[in-house]
């Protein structure tokens, strides 16, 4: 049908479908969509060029059941014909079940987009294979790249690090395309009795057992070995590496005296069969998988796949022999409840191509920051990484343990998170459904660190800083250093998620109990501080009530966090203003803003205000309100309220100024339209 008449679609354009294409009656085609020759559009698809337009679907491509193709009114990509399109899909490409292609988007020729994957505001080059449940956004994927299942590719660095497509991957994609070509021919043939009779009488050739095993994706059905082990073996073999196995009892494991186990198989199925037998023979021992680069003559992977005490489950190997392998691969009982931040961090690091390391230190080394390094976690499997890290947590109980993410190309750390402290226990486990859960470290009192929290004002400030793209830091000082303003830095906070930052802040507060601790907001682009906020004082309890300007106490749990969405626009679901109006018509600032004002004044800083309408806000052209010359709290609050009232319907932000250093120490938006 034609696109509905709208301000951006006035020509009532209709789909143009080649005579040789097949469009199922249970699919929807709306608007300016060009469908090429021999295209199959399966039942349940929705292709709507009613906002973003036009769409192009190249010759020989197939759009499978449940696929949605749509586009934004703004944004275009250049097609291979040099014209602008909201969505371009090249020739002989396969968009599989329930995938979402949302324009502006370009998918090249001979591409494969896997089940439930999403492509938005991105270009996918020719010959790329995107596996299942992947997200591709705001990037350009070079031609011939492979995107693994579950990958989240949202920056160009991640896209550039993707591996090349392997021959077996192309074979799999081509197999799916050929099946859909046969389906398209079958749908066309369905109305012709002569055509149907010819197909019925055609003899189907028998496939040999070797033919059934040529495709690596089919051979999986013949084995029930742990999926992560299978994927690890397959990944190493694809890269031309050879496979080895080593084992060690607990005594040898402590001295790193591993013994080699013979592994004579040359193909995937034979290697997996032997590996199952070795796991059975070495039950009660540590077993690790070795990947060796035969050209460079060096190891490229060392992955522990079994530990003493792991729960075993029967495995049917491809040669008919029965072996055993651990069901959970980490040997620890699954945790039903817990914080998933650490598991998510591990998954994110692996999918981004980063290396994972573990460091540990006793209490003495921790104070001097003299960390010791544990063997690297060399694996591309999330579950195997979690299994290895869980083993370290168990072996290093009584020590500080921190997880380190390393960019191997830039040779720098990208993440550094303490995951266990003396007297605490942390458990990461698989729940048996391919998902992982993380139980946060617990202190001696049995209270989760994540619940020992900072004040609501501090948490709200963290959210506000992170939402604006700022980095978080912490500093501490005893009473003597506080008087001389000689602050010392806590451990750097490399994480950017709210959970990681709050955990690091709590660690600093815990490690420096009885001292002043302050939160630092850092603008990395301008290389300056935008916030300095004291979150702990000697003898002060972190949890407390906040006081409004009229002296009434406020429950911290009722505070609203001020935040910006990722695009820099106001979060319309959040409270938009930093003040409330009482029944008598007077306005009072919220507790978060009051806490910032008091913190700034207590440190001797001056207060200022700026305002901007929507147009000026977009261009960052702020204008100053009347100067605030006083350092009296009530007078400053009165001046702030006056600026908010005079510029209602505009953005207003609070400024903290260090008059000695002549620099700003705080910029916080306290009102939005």
């Amino acid at each position: 049908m034609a696109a509905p008449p709208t301000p951006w679609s006035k020509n009532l354009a209709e789909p143009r479908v080649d005579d040789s294409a097949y469009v199922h009656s249970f699919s929807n085609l709306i608007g300016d969509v060009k469908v090429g020759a021999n295209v199959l559009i399966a039942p349940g698809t929705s292709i709507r060029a009613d906002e973003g337009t036009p769409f192009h679907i190249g010759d020989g491509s197939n759009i499978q059941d449940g696929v949605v193709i749509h586009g934004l009114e703004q944004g275009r990509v250049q097609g291979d014909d040099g014209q602008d399109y909201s969505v371009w899909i090249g020739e002989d490409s396969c968009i599989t079940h329930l995938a979402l292609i949302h324009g502006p988007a370009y998918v090249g020729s001979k591409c494969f987009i896997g089940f439930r994957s999403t492509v938005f505001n991105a270009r996918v080059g020719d010959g790329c294979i995107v596996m299942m449940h992947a997200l591709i956004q705001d990037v350009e994927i070079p031609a011939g790249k492979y995107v693994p299942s579950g990958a989240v590719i949202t920056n160009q660095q991640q896209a550039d690090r993707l591996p090349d497509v392997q021959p077996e991957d192309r074979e799999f994609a081509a197999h799916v395309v050929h099946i859909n070509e046969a389906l398209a021919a079958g749908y066309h043939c369905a109305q012709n009795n002569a055509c149907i009779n010819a197909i019925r009488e055609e003899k189907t050739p028998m496939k040999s057992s070797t033919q059934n095993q040529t495709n690596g994706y089919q051979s999986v059905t013949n084995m029930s070995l742990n999926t992560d082990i299978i994927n690890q073996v397959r990944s190493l073999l694809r890269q031309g590496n050879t496979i080895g196995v080593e084992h060690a009892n607990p005594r040898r494991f402590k001295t790193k005296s591993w013994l080699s186990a013979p592994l004579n198989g040359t193909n995937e199925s034979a290697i997996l069969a032997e590996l199952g037998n070795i796991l059975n023979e070495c039950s009660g021992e540590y077993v690790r998988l070795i990947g060796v680069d035969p050209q460079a003559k060096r190891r490229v992977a060392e992955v522990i796949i079994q530990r003493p005490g792991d729960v075993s489950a029967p495995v049917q190997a491809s040669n008919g022999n029965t072996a055993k392998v651990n069901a959970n691969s980490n040997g620890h009982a699954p945790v039903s409840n817990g914080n998933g931040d650490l598991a998510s961090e591990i998954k994110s690091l692996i999918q981004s191509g980063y290396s994972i390391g573990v460091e540990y230190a006793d209490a003495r080394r921790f104070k001097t920051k003299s960390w010791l390094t544990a063997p690297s976690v060399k694996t591309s499997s999330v579950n195997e990484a979690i299994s290895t890290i869980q083993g370290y947590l168990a072996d290093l109980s009584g020590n500080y343990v921190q997880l380190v993410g390393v960019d191997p190309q830039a040779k720098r750390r990208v993440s550094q998170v303490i995951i266990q402290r003396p007297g605490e226990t942390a458990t990461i486990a698989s729940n048996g459904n391919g998902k992982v859960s993380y139980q946060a470290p617990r202190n001696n009192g049995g209270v989760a660190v994540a619940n020992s929290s900072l004040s609501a004002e501090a948490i709200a400030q963290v959210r506000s800083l992170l939402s604006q793209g700022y980095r978080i830091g912490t500093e501490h000082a005893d009473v003597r250093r506080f008087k001389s303003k000689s602050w010392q830095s806590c451990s750097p906070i490399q994480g950017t998620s709210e959970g990681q930052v709050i955990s690091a802040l709590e660690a600093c507060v815990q490690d420096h109990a009885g001292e002043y601790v302050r939160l630092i907001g850092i603008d990395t682009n301008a290389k300056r501080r935008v916030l300095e906020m004291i979150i702990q004082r000697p003898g002060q309890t972190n949890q407390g009530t906040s006081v409004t300007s009229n002296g009434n106490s406020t429950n911290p749990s009722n505070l609203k966090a001020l935040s910006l969405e990722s695009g820099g626009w106001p979060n319309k679901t959040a409270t938009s203003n930093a003040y409330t109006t009482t029944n008598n018509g007077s306005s009072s600032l919220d507790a978060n803003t009051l806490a910032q004002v008091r913190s700034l004044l207590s440190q001797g800083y001056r207060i200022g205000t700026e305002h901007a309408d929507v147009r000026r806000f977009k261009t960052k052209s702020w204008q100053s309100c009347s100067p605030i010359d006083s350092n009296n709290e009530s007078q400053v609050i009165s001046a702030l309220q006056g600026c908010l009232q005079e510029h209602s319907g505009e953005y207003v932000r609070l400024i903290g100024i260090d008059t000695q250093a002549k620099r700003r120490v705080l910029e916080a938006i306290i009102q939005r339209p």
Side-chain angles (χ1 to χ4, degrees), residues 250-503:
R251 181 180 62 81
R252 285 185 172 274
F253 177 77
K254 290 181 179 179
T255 59
K256 300 181 181 179
S257 304
W258 293 84
L259 299 173
S260 296
L263 196 63
N264 301 316
T266 57
N267 58 48
E268 180 184 319
S269 58
I271 289 173
L272 291 173
E274 291 186 49
L275 188 56
N277 292 331
I278 291 171
L279 289 170
N280 184 38
E281 294 169 2
C282 299
S283 60
E285 296 187 29
Y286 293 87
V287 178
R288 71 178 179 186
L289 186 68
I290 308 297
V292 181
D293 184 341
Q295 295 182 341
K297 297 181 179 179
R298 63 181 179 86
R299 295 189 176 190
V300 295
E302 290 180 353
V303 184
I304 295 178
I305 58 176
Q306 179 176 282
R307 296 175 182 276
D310 283 347
V311 179
S312 297
V315 172
Q316 183 64 39
S318 60
N319 60 359
N321 297 329
T322 302
K324 291 186 178 181
V325 67
N326 53 310
N328 291 324
S329 79
N330 56 14
H332 294 270
V335 179
S336 58
N337 299 315
N339 184 340
D341 283 346
L342 180 56
S344 300
E345 174 73 8
I346 294 170
K347 182 177 181 181
S348 175
L349 289 170
I350 289 176
Q351 290 180 345
S352 300
Y354 296 133
S355 301
I356 295 179
V358 174
E359 295 179 337
Y360 62 97
D362 56 22
R364 180 180 62 82
R365 285 184 172 274
F366 178 75
K367 290 181 179 179
T368 59
K369 300 181 181 179
S370 304
W371 293 87
L372 299 174
T373 303
S376 298
V377 182
K378 296 180 180 179
T379 178
S380 58
S381 164
V382 175
N383 283 349
E384 293 299 341
I386 289 173
S387 172
T388 304
I389 293 169
Q390 182 62 67
Y392 288 143
L393 291 172
D395 297 337
L396 299 170
S397 60
N399 290 272
Y400 292 87
V401 180
Q402 72 176 3
L403 181 72
V404 179
V406 180
D407 185 339
Q409 295 183 344
K411 297 181 179 179
R412 62 179 180 85
R413 296 190 175 193
V414 296
S415 176
Q416 190 170 296
V417 183
I418 294 178
I419 58 177
Q420 181 172 279
R421 294 180 175 83
E424 300 173 347
T425 58
T427 302
I428 324 164
S430 170
N431 61 11
N433 296 323
K435 298 182 179 179
V436 291
S437 59
Y438 169 61
Q439 182 165 305
R442 296 181 178 272
N443 58 25
N444 293 330
V447 180
V449 173
N451 297 329
S452 65
S453 229
L454 307 167
S455 67
E457 292 91 341
I459 293 173
Q461 193 60 57
V462 168
R463 290 173 183 152
S464 177
L465 291 168
L466 292 176
S467 68
Q468 298 176 65
Y470 297 134
R471 297 298 297 270
I472 307 290
T474 44
E475 293 179 335
H476 65 96
D478 56 23
V479 176
R480 181 180 61 81
R481 286 184 173 274
F482 177 76
K483 291 180 179 179
S484 60
K485 298 184 179 180
S486 304
W487 294 85
Q488 295 177 298
S489 297
C490 296
S491 300
I493 302 175
Q494 302 291 346
T496 56
S497 73
E498 181 183 322
Q500 293 170 345
V501 171
I502 290 175
S503 176

Side-chain angles (χ1 to χ4, degrees), residues 575-648:
T575 300
S576 60
N577 295 330
Y579 66 93
T580 57
T581 303
T582 60
N583 293 333
N584 60 8
S586 63
S587 62
S588 60
L589 296 168
D590 76 355
N592 186 39
T593 306
L594 288 172
Q596 290 175 336
V597 169
R598 289 172 184 145
S599 177
L600 291 168
L601 292 176
S602 67
Q603 297 175 69
Y605 298 134
R606 298 295 297 272
I607 306 292
T609 46
E610 292 179 336
H611 66 96
D613 57 23
V614 175
R615 181 180 61 82
R616 286 184 174 273
F617 176 76
K618 291 180 180 179
T619 59
K620 300 182 180 179
S621 303
W622 293 85
Q623 295 177 298
S624 297
C625 296
S626 300
I628 303 175
D629 297 323
S630 175
N631 58 4
N632 178 275
E633 181 180 322
S634 61
Q635 293 176 346
V636 170
I637 290 172
S638 178
L640 285 173
Q641 291 171 344
C643 181
L644 291 169
Q645 291 174 345
E646 289 173 12
H647 302 285
S648 61

Side-chain angles (χ1 to χ4, degrees), residues 90-144:
E91 298 179 357
D92 299 319
S93 286
C94 187
I95 314 299
T96 65
H97 310 299
L98 299 175
L100 169 60
I101 311 296
H102 205 291
Y106 173 98
V107 178
S109 298
K110 301 184 184 301
C111 287
F112 177 91
I113 308 298
F115 318 135
R116 291 186 179 273
S117 290
T118 298
V119 178
F120 168 62
N121 193 32
R123 293 181 66 91
V124 179
D126 293 346
C128 285
I129 292 182
V130 179
M131 296 304 288
M132 319 332 171
H133 289 261
L135 170 62
I136 299 173
Q137 178 181 337
D138 305 329
V139 297
E140 181 172 350
I141 306 294

Side-chain angles (χ1 to χ4, degrees), residues 552-572:
N552 296 327
S553 64
T554 304
N555 187 341
S557 64
N558 294 329
L559 296 177
K560 301 290 192 299
L562 300 175
S563 63
L564 288 177
E565 292 180 335
S566 59
W569 297 102
N571 185 346
K572 297 185 174 91

Side-chain angles (χ1 to χ4, degrees), residues 57-117:
I57 301 174
D59 298 348
S61 291
N62 61 85
I63 313 298
Q64 296 181 12
D65 310 64
V67 168
V68 174
I69 303 177
H70 195 243
L72 296 178
E73 186 269 327
Q74 295 181 339
R76 295 291 182 270
V77 295
Q78 188 178 69
D80 294 348
D81 59 1
Q83 303 298 315
D84 288 338
Y85 292 85
S86 177
V87 174
W88 172 280
I89 297 175
E91 298 179 357
D92 299 319
S93 286
C94 187
I95 314 299
T96 65
H97 310 299
L98 299 175
L100 169 60
I101 311 296
H102 205 291
Y106 173 98
V107 178
S109 298
K110 301 184 184 301
C111 287
F112 177 91
I113 308 298
F115 318 135
R116 291 186 179 273
S117 290

